[in-house]
Amino acid sequence: MDIKPSGSTNFIKDIINEDLKMGKNNNRVHTRFPPEPNGYLHIGHAKSICLNFGLALEYGGLCNLRFDDTNPSKEEVEYVDSIQMDVKWLGFDWDHRLFYASDYFEQLYNYAEQLIKAGKAYVCDLSPGEIREYRGTLTEPGKDSPYRSRSAEENLDLFKRMRAGEFPDGSRVLRAKIDMSSPNLNMRDPVLYRIMRATHHRTGDAWCIYPMYDYAHPLSDAIEGVTHSICTCEFEDHRPLYDWTLRELNIESPPVQIEFARLNLTRTVMSKRKLRKLVEEGHVRGWDDPRMPTISGLRRRGYTPEAIKDFCERIGVAKANSMVNIAMLEHCIREDLNFKARRVMAVLRPLKVVIDNYPEDRVELLEAGYNSENPELGSRQVPFSRVLYIERDDFMEDPPKKFFRLAPGREVRLKHAYIIKCQSVVKDENTGEILEVHCTFDPETKSGMSADARKVKGTLHWVSAPHALRAEIRLYDYLFHKENPDEDEDFKTSINPDSLEVLSSWVEPDLARAGAGSRYQFLRQGYFSVDPDSTGSNPVFNRIVSLKDSWAKIQKAGEQ
């Protein structure tokens, strides 16, 4: 059967194409996304989600969502719920195919008994430390457990008693009987089951023994009819055990495991264990903190599903691990929002401007389009009055030569409005701080007027002081100041203490009706999203990304 997917190809699609050509799996393509519910998903999981669900869509196949919930000591319903929300938010649907490894606990137990009866598994009384000691090293073979020679009858009896709860936690395990001299440490009689008295979020206290991931995973794939089990490269050394389990149990049409490179992103960490530490130790405000690489954190910051999927498509699927510059992810959200986002005015660090020759009681409503590149977004009316706010950095009393913003005796245009000229400044007598700037305006220079032929080099954004809306602005920087924080013995030493700056700022009144999750471009400042904490009277905006596109510069430099 000659079926080829749409879009670009990669080595995984090449494998699938060959399988279809050979008529394997009855010409089916069935994948799965199998998260462990022990934390929130991050951008690396988004790559796996897009790959597994995307392959199923391209080949007209199926993709399951399955929770590998085999370690109840670290799993919570909160994580199950968040994972489902993340997959749906990215735009994928598992239909009725939501599964749990715990759905198969009885079947997995029966398979284990089958291995015991075949002489392929035994109950071992060694402690965890002794098991590690007996396993050997990369250069030295392991040695047999003194319990390896137990009869099938004795092993079966002990395993049943393990299930019945006769033995304390950690006192016994069930191990596969493979090869203690194997060059692959994963094949040196790996543990299949351990005793653990922990309440499971679905099965409660029905079980006191739980299967190991490496045992439950291939069998769950087989039970569900998965054809291609796609995982990241750290599981490559586990593939012989995956295949051994399916082969020794005589599984018909077994799935095949295929490994691809995991996503490594600069300026962040991608380990759930490390992300959990950041949350539990209070370095961030939670799993959905906008500085976190979690999908929920990116969503709260203002990233769109389209930008994340575009990013995953651009980085592609490879066999070798590599580090991806976070600037590429930022480039994707800029490209997505450049056309979508309404462009409005917000003054983050305000400086008062008084237009002396503008009538005190006059207010103009100026028509201002939201996005010149997308006229369908429409326009709004912006109030203009005698007293305004501009950015403090947009004024200098003694500017350098190439400073084209406001300064004594200089003119600038106010966006959507008039040209103004600075006449004087008012300072604090004690500190010398500039408190306000006094200007005059030219009424013949209203933006859009046919008589407006004058050109000035600087255009500033602004808000009308009497009409502006006070807003909390959260400016996020990278959580880590080092390119690769994983290089440090303690990754937390690279935490950036200035990763969050909170400002009390002014925004145009149109933003009073902005709903949570709405995204805007603040002119000359960057892209911002309304935080869930926001209210109409107390709006809160998260900066998604600045306007400066460092990735575009990196690409341009690479082409030269």
Side-chain angles (χ1 to χ4, degrees), residues 126-142:
L126 293 177
S127 68
E130 290 171 330
I131 289 176
R132 284 192 296 271
E133 182 183 344
Y134 273 61
R135 185 175 289 133
T137 67
L138 291 173
T139 56
E140 296 178 358

Side-chain angles (χ1 to χ4, degrees), residues 3-21:
I3 298 179
K4 292 185 179 180
S6 59
S8 59
T9 188
N10 56 56
F11 78 95
I12 295 178
K13 292 181 183 178
D14 291 341
I15 293 171
I16 294 175
N17 288 337
E18 186 62 26
D19 287 347
L20 292 174
K21 184 178 179 181

Side-chain angles (χ1 to χ4, degrees), residues 156-207:
L156 193 59
D157 174 67
L158 288 171
F159 189 51
K160 288 179 178 179
R161 292 164 64 190
M162 284 171 60
R163 176 177 179 171
E166 287 190 26
F167 310 120
D169 289 9
S171 62
R172 285 187 164 94
V173 294
L174 181 71
R175 298 176 66 178
K177 185 185 289 188
I178 307 179
D179 182 3
M180 291 302 295
S181 63
S182 171
N184 185 338
L185 269 64
N186 294 296
M187 299 298 282
R188 295 182 185 178
D189 290 10
V191 174
L192 305 182
Y193 270 87
R194 75 284 205 199
I195 303 172
M196 179 193 301
R197 285 171 175 80
T199 300
H200 192 279
H201 67 98
R202 296 187 73 244
T203 62
D205 297 320
W207 292 85

Side-chain angles (χ1 to χ4, degrees), residues 51 121 159 161 197 239 295 297 438 455 516:
L51 178 58
F159 189 51
R161 292 164 64 190
R197 285 171 175 80
R239 192 193 330 141
I295 297 175
H438 285 255
K455 302 293 182 183

Side-chain angles (χ1 to χ4, degrees), residues 10 22 40 50 150 226 234 244 337 358 393 461 497 506 522:
N10 56 56
M22 300 296 292
Y40 280 59
C50 292
R150 278 174 167 160
V226 168
E234 63 262 35
W244 180 91
L337 293 183
Y358 196 89
D393 288 346
H461 62 277
W506 296 101
F522 288 178

Side-chain angles (χ1 to χ4, degrees), residues 36-61:
E36 297 175 72
N38 58 1
Y40 280 59
L41 301 183
H42 54 62
I43 185 69
H45 295 109
K47 177 181 177 181
S48 181
I49 292 168
C50 292
L51 178 58
N52 280 288
F53 281 92
L55 286 170
L57 286 170
E58 286 191 26
Y59 285 94

Side-chain angles (χ1 to χ4, degrees), residues 417-556:
Y418 301 95
I419 291 176
I420 61 172
K421 184 176 183 179
C422 176
Q423 303 294 344
S424 63
V425 298
V426 176
K427 298 182 180 180
D428 185 295
E429 294 180 358
N430 297 319
T431 65
E433 179 188 1
I434 296 174
L435 301 178
E436 57 186 61
V437 177
H438 285 255
C439 299
T440 55
F441 87 111
D442 184 344
E444 300 300 319
T445 59
K446 186 176 181 180
S447 182
M449 291 176 59
S450 58
D452 177 24
R454 291 176 54 191
K455 302 293 182 183
V456 291
K457 289 187 177 180
T459 299
L460 308 184
H461 62 277
W462 53 275
V463 292
S464 169
H467 306 91
L469 180 67
R470 177 71 76 175
E472 179 179 311
I473 306 295
R474 298 172 182 173
L475 301 178
Y476 293 100
D477 197 356
Y478 300 125
L479 185 56
F480 296 93
H481 56 69
K482 195 170 184 178
E483 284 285 309
N484 184 8
D486 284 322
E487 289 178 342
D488 294 334
E489 185 174 342
D490 181 1
F491 74 101
K492 291 176 292 183
T493 60
S494 295
I495 290 177
N496 175 11
D498 302 316
S499 61
L500 171 61
E501 181 181 9
V502 180
L503 303 176
S504 181
S505 306
W506 296 101
V507 299
E508 61 176 81
D510 184 63
L511 293 177
R513 55 192 179 92
S518 302
R519 302 171 183 88
Y520 296 88
Q521 183 192 115
F522 288 178
L523 293 180
R524 302 172 63 223
Q525 301 288 357
Y527 292 98
F528 289 76
S529 176
V530 182
D531 190 84
D533 290 345
S534 186
T535 63
S537 59
N538 183 31
V540 179
F541 293 89
N542 299 320
R543 184 171 66 186
I544 308 169
V545 68
S546 66
L547 293 178
K548 183 181 179 183
D549 194 342
S550 55
W551 179 250
K553 291 184 177 180
I554 293 171
Q555 285 183 306
K556 187 175 181 180

